[in-house]
Amino acid sequence: MTGETPDDAAVLEALFGNSPQGLFVLDTELRVLRYNRAGRGVSGLSEEDVLGKGVEEFAPGLEPETMQRLAKEALDTARPVRKRLVRGPSPSDPNLTLTLEMSFFPLAGARPGTPAVVTVVEDVTAGQADADRFAVLSAVHASVGSTLDTPATAGELVQTLVPDFADAAAVDLLDHTGASPVNSPLRRVAFAPRKAERGREEGASRPFPFPTPYTQALNDLRARLVPVASDTEWLATSPEGFAPLVDAGVHSMIVAPLATGEGPLGLLTLYRTRREPFEDADLDVARQIAATAAAHLDNARRYRREHEAAAALHRRLQPHALPDLSAVDADYVYLPEGAGGGWFDVIPLSGTRVALVVGDVAGHGVEAAATMGQLRIALRTLTLQDLETDELLTRMDEVAAHVAETPTATCTGRWPPAPSASTTPCPGGAPWSARDIRRPS
């Protein structure tokens, strides 16, 4: 370059020859005047491919518009532009995707055709890949498991993983946990992107062919990284079923079992069609993701089972028909909020009297429903003994204390009420706790 002294030339020669970072000197038109070969993307290019060329000519995939904008910003403001990330295929190896950290330093007194900007390029591909994996793990922990609903949890998982970590993701769950996973039907619970995978739509339930990476992962509970090509042997176990993989251009996949200490729940499968295949580091991340997801899915499945059992028990313990009454026309509508401990009863008594009961056990689930059933039976038994009101309430207090130490029962009603279809509050005008009942004064 013109104006260089011998000392300047020696310094520049040492700098360009020994720098571990890629260095590019650009003119005012952002053409390369000088560069070194430390830049990973240009090490395989000849000088004719780089010198005198703009970045859009020798590295068209590396966001040339972004790089030109950053260089122009440095020129126009006369201030450095530091540490900006640029991604894209390597100029010398299109199958290799690079993440580059670039800084642009303007030179004073630049004139047309003279050095104007020095660009420093550092390859941070490996470090950025690790940061991206950590970000995916953080996103899974933050986004998955917000509800106790199995399809919603599976949907959160696949939406979090696509497209940052995988180009497509699927969650398939065994219809019956605890059964032998080989040839057991798996139900497609979630898939991303939203467009359903041809041949296995969401909600479809059928086994995967054997032997395949899917059945192997279910059998040994080991996650595996699987390369995919049109001539891969296991694809022949179901050519029509696996045709969408080949048609979509999937070349790399991870199959990770979703399992708890009690056995497999199903599979998380990740697919890539992008340039970079999955690596061993991605497999480690997938294992952690699958473990986290399995815990959330197991919680959701347990909650659903308990909720269904509690709801069935709750329905079973409610009156199914009102008794025939001569003094009262009774009717009801019962809209429970969930599977809890609420109940009602209509109990005929002697002398055309009727006891109208509304009760509730604090809490939800099987325990609350079971406690409700015990209290309802006890209250009906005591009521049929034709006890005085204060004695009935005292006995009920004793029963409630023995039935459950934590749940409390609340009630409204008059014991026994006048012949009427309405109810009035318990003594004191407010719901009472079974533990706080005292003989009326």
Side-chain angles (χ1 to χ4, degrees), residues 275-301:
R275 186 177 292 103
E276 315 84 18
F278 285 116
E279 302 175 357
D280 288 339
D282 298 316
L283 182 61
D284 292 337
V285 171
R287 290 192 185 101
Q288 297 178 62
I289 291 172
T292 299
H296 289 302
L297 290 167
D298 189 46
N299 286 341
R301 187 175 291 232

Side-chain angles (χ1 to χ4, degrees), residues 32-54:
V32 178
L33 297 179
R34 185 169 184 173
Y35 76 104
N36 69 353
R37 294 187 174 276
R40 186 177 179 187
V42 298
S43 58
L45 301 180
S46 66
E47 288 189 359
E48 291 75 16
D49 292 326
V50 180
L51 290 177
K53 304 293 178 62

Side-chain angles (χ1 to χ4, degrees), residues 97-179:
T97 297
L98 300 178
T99 301
L100 305 177
E101 184 180 84
M102 308 187 73
S103 298
F104 300 83
F105 300 92
L107 300 176
R111 300 182 307 279
T114 65
V117 180
V118 175
T119 304
V120 180
V121 181
E122 183 169 0
D123 183 2
V124 295
T125 303
Q128 188 61 39
D130 290 339
D132 291 343
R133 294 183 185 105
F134 181 78
V136 168
L137 277 175
S138 298
V140 168
H141 285 290
S143 304
V144 177
S146 63
T147 70
L148 286 172
D149 179 78
T150 299
T153 299
E156 290 171 343
L157 178 61
V158 297
Q159 292 299 323
T160 301
L161 297 177
V162 175
D164 291 340
F165 189 62
D167 296 304
V171 173
D172 298 277
L173 298 181
L174 290 164
D175 281 340
H176 304 288
T177 57

